[in-house]
């Protein structure tokens, strides 16, 4: 009899007080502010933060005036950096801004695609950059996401909740979780390791940290059926985490793209998400690829699927589409690719219109994952019937 195949997979998440996530939130808050007045704006904002300073830079073409310093300070305050004793706070940090207009060489290819022949408006908008984007979905969770990243987000979300509610008043904004899940024959069975690093005040001892974070964060966030006597829990492994946030480590936008997506469960094309308007396919193409994959799995075409879509700058239609169902499909992968091409329009303007991406929805994406959250339009399963209708033609 064949021995069960045992594998371990680890994903991580970070709180909104992590320095990289502070930067992502600022970038997306600026994008949202611009989109409230100018939904046709072109935005590519980057942010970096360190002790006592935030710098905003990049390219923005818009008719709307944004109070950059006010937005920065508002985000920093919301996150919880509201006192100078933390080494970084909204009242005293310097805010530097250096924004220029989008390059005309990029704009001309986006405004009128190189492959536009004047017959379809969706062919007119070209991709804002070259690149490859990946989508993924699996039936192992209700959200059609890998379990390790969903549990990691649940822990950091709970860590923030007990801090902001005042239940654990000695917590500070920075923190990280890391979850290792044991799979048996490809099915998640249990949590093997939990690592939790939580920034805290000087006046809390290690024993209190371990007890309170285990009971009020980890055991509340992770369903009991995944925890057992062999689950290993490590809390603040160095023994101390007082200095954190941008005062403890510099932050930069786009440095947590694996946290933002699938926790490493599938490849990543490399493009960051936050601070970019949806003409940048780094963002909109990734959302669309997720939308496609989720609808395929929800429709029963496969139990697990990965989709790669690649674009050339200034061209509307993808240069390639690749499907891998890992042998779980009811039809071959080339047939699944045909279903994708029939049901889903992967041109940038079609993605923007169909998912409603030209609106201020982005700051909410910048914490606890862009994917697997029902409030976002790319998480809809409204194409299931269309997918099944096309599938039926191939399986008759």
């Amino acid at each position: 009899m064949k021995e069960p195949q045992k594998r371990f997979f680890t994903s991580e998440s970070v709180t909104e007080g992590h320095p990289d996530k502070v930067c992502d939130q600022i970038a997306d808050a600026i994008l949202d502010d611009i989109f409230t007045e100018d939904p046709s704006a072109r935005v590519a904002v980057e942010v970096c933060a360190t002790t006592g300073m935030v710098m905003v830079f990049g390219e923005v073409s818009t008719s709307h005036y944004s109070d950059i310093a006010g937005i920065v300070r508002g985000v920093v305050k919301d996150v919880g950096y509201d006192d100078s004793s933390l080494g970084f706070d909204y009242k005293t940090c310097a805010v530097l801004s250096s924004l220029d207009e989008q390059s005309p060489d990029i704009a001309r290819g986006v405004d009128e695609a190189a492959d536009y022949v004047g017959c379809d408006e969706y062919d007119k908008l070209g991709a804002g950059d070259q690149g490859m984007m990946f989508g993924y979905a699996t039936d192992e969770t209700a959200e059609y996401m890998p379990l390790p990243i969903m549990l990691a987000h649940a822990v950091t979300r709970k860590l923030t909740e007990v801090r902001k509610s005042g239940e654990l008043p000695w917590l500070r904004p920075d923190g990280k979780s890391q979850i290792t899940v044991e799979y048996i024959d490809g099915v998640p069975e249990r949590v093997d390791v939990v690592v939790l690093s939580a920034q805290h005040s000087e006046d809390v001892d290690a024993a209190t940290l371990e007890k309170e974070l285990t009971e009020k964060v980890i055991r509340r966030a992770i369903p009991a059926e995944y925890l057992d006597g062999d689950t290993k829990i490590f809390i603040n492994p160095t023994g101390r985490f007082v200095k954190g946030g941008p005062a403890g480590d510099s932050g930069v936008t786009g440095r947590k793209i694996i946290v933002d997506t699938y926790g490493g469960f599938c490849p990543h094309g490399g493009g960051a998400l936050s601070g970019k308007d949806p003409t940048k396919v780094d963002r909109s193409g990734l959302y669309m690829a997720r939308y496609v994959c989720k609808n395929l799995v929800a429709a029963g075409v496969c139990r697990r699927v990965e989709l790669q879509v690649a674009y050339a700058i200034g061209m509307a239609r993808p240069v390639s589409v690749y499907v891998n169902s890992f042998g779980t499909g009811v039809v071959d992968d080339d047939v699944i690719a045909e279903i994708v091409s029939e049901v889903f329009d992967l041109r940038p303007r079609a993605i923007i219109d169909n998912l409603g991406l030209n609106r201020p929805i982005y700051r909410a994406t910048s914490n606890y994952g862009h994917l697997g959250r029902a409030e976002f339009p790319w998480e809809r399963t409204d194409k299931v019937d269309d997918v099944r209708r096309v599938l039926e033609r191939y399986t008759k």
Side-chain angles (χ1 to χ4, degrees), residues 204-211 235 239:
V204 62
D205 60 85
T208 300
L209 267 169
E210 185 168 344
K211 178 179 181 296
I235 293 176

Side-chain angles (χ1 to χ4, degrees), residues 224-298:
E225 61 264 30
Y226 291 120
L227 299 172
D228 58 32
D230 293 325
T231 299
K232 298 171 281 295
I233 296 176
F234 302 103
I235 293 176
N236 285 7
T238 69
R240 177 181 167 89
F241 186 7
V242 172
K243 189 175 183 179
D249 189 11
S250 61
V252 182
T253 42
R255 226 167 26 183
K256 288 292 176 282
I257 55 177
I258 301 303
V259 171
D260 287 340
T261 54
Y262 303 99
F265 228 94
C266 83
H268 195 292
L273 303 174
S274 291
K276 296 178 179 177
D277 77 79
T279 65
K280 281 74 172 174
V281 286
D282 283 341
R283 184 167 217 162
S284 56
L286 185 146
Y287 292 161
M288 187 64 183
R290 162 63 179 171
Y291 177 63
V292 171
C293 289
K294 186 172 181 180
N295 277 272
L296 290 173
V297 176

Side-chain angles (χ1 to χ4, degrees), residues 26-36 38-46 56-64 66 68 99-102 106 110 128 273-281 283 358 362:
I26 292 169
D28 274 338
I30 292 169
L31 175 62
D32 278 354
D33 181 73
I34 292 170
F35 268 5
T36 58
D38 185 7
S40 63
R42 300 289 163 75
V43 181
V45 171
E46 306 285 354
V56 177
F57 54 103
E59 294 76 45
V60 176
S61 296
T62 181
S63 58
H64 173 67
S66 287
I68 299 298
L99 296 171
D100 202 352
E101 289 189 335
Q102 182 182 55
I106 296 174
V110 176
L273 303 174
S274 291
K276 296 178 179 177
D277 77 79
T279 65
K280 281 74 172 174
V281 286
R283 184 167 217 162
N358 274 117
Y362 294 104

Side-chain angles (χ1 to χ4, degrees), residues 33-339:
D33 181 73
I34 292 170
F35 268 5
T36 58
E37 298 289 339
D38 185 7
S40 63
R42 300 289 163 75
V43 181
V45 171
E46 306 285 354
V47 180
C48 63
T50 188
T51 306
M53 188 194 80
V54 175
M55 181 174 183
V56 177
F57 54 103
E59 294 76 45
V60 176
S61 296
T62 181
S63 58
H64 173 67
Y65 169 77
S66 287
D67 176 8
I68 299 298
I71 294 169
V72 169
R73 296 187 194 283
V75 170
V76 173
K77 182 180 180 181
D78 288 347
V79 168
Y81 291 113
D82 55 5
D83 192 286
S84 60
S85 65
L86 299 174
F88 180 83
D89 73 282
Y90 77 98
K91 290 173 285 190
T92 63
C93 69
V95 179
L96 308 179
S97 177
S98 180
L99 296 171
D100 202 352
E101 289 189 335
Q102 182 182 55
S103 162
D105 295 336
I106 296 174
R108 67 192 294 265
V110 176
D111 294 335
E112 185 161 322
D115 52 348
Y116 178 56
V117 293
C119 58
D120 186 335
E121 280 301 300
Y122 279 169
D123 272 335
K124 189 171 184 180
L125 185 82
D129 202 352
Q130 71 175 45
M132 60 280 191
M133 297 83 224
F134 286 88
Y136 183 81
T138 172
D139 64 0
E140 69 183 60
T141 64
E143 298 85 3
Y144 296 95
M145 287 285 287
L147 182 63
I149 187 64
M150 295 307 292
L151 293 180
H153 287 322
V155 170
T156 52
R157 193 187 288 272
K158 181 60 69 174
L159 184 65
T160 297
E161 182 183 308
V162 297
R163 171 178 64 86
K164 288 190 168 182
S165 71
E167 185 174 2
L168 298 181
W170 35 262
L171 281 174
R172 299 296 180 258
D174 201 354
K176 289 183 174 184
S177 70
Q178 186 172 286
I179 307 294
T180 301
V181 172
E182 180 181 332
Y183 285 76
I184 303 294
D185 291 334
V187 178
E189 293 291 336
R190 55 181 293 274
V191 170
D192 188 58
V193 182
V194 179
V195 180
L196 178 58
S197 296
Q199 186 188 11
H200 57 87
S201 65
E202 290 265 13
D203 56 0
V204 62
D205 60 85
T208 300
L209 267 169
E210 185 168 344
K211 178 179 181 296
E212 296 285 77
L213 293 179
T214 298
E215 295 303 320
K216 295 180 178 177
V217 176
I218 293 169
R219 294 195 181 277
R220 289 183 189 175
I222 300 176
E225 61 264 30
Y226 291 120
L227 299 172
D228 58 32
D230 293 325
T231 299
K232 298 171 281 295
I233 296 176
F234 302 103
I235 293 176
N236 285 7
T238 69
R240 177 181 167 89
F241 186 7
V242 172
K243 189 175 183 179
D249 189 11
S250 61
V252 182
T253 42
R255 226 167 26 183
K256 288 292 176 282
I257 55 177
I258 301 303
V259 171
D260 287 340
T261 54
Y262 303 99
F265 228 94
C266 83
H268 195 292
L273 303 174
S274 291
K276 296 178 179 177
D277 77 79
T279 65
K280 281 74 172 174
V281 286
D282 283 341
R283 184 167 217 162
S284 56
L286 185 146
Y287 292 161
M288 187 64 183
R290 162 63 179 171
Y291 177 63
V292 171
C293 289
K294 186 172 181 180
N295 277 272
L296 290 173
V297 176
V301 174
C302 46
R303 291 187 296 106
R304 178 184 170 211
V305 67
E306 172 188 299
L307 174 72
Q308 185 205 57
V309 184
Y311 292 90
I313 188 170
M315 298 184 69
R317 296 176 183 273
V319 297
S320 71
V321 176
Y322 163 82
V323 172
N324 181 5
S325 68
F326 307 94
T328 69
V330 298
V331 291
D332 291 341
D333 288 349
D334 58 343
V335 175
I336 298 177
E338 289 294 327
I339 294 170

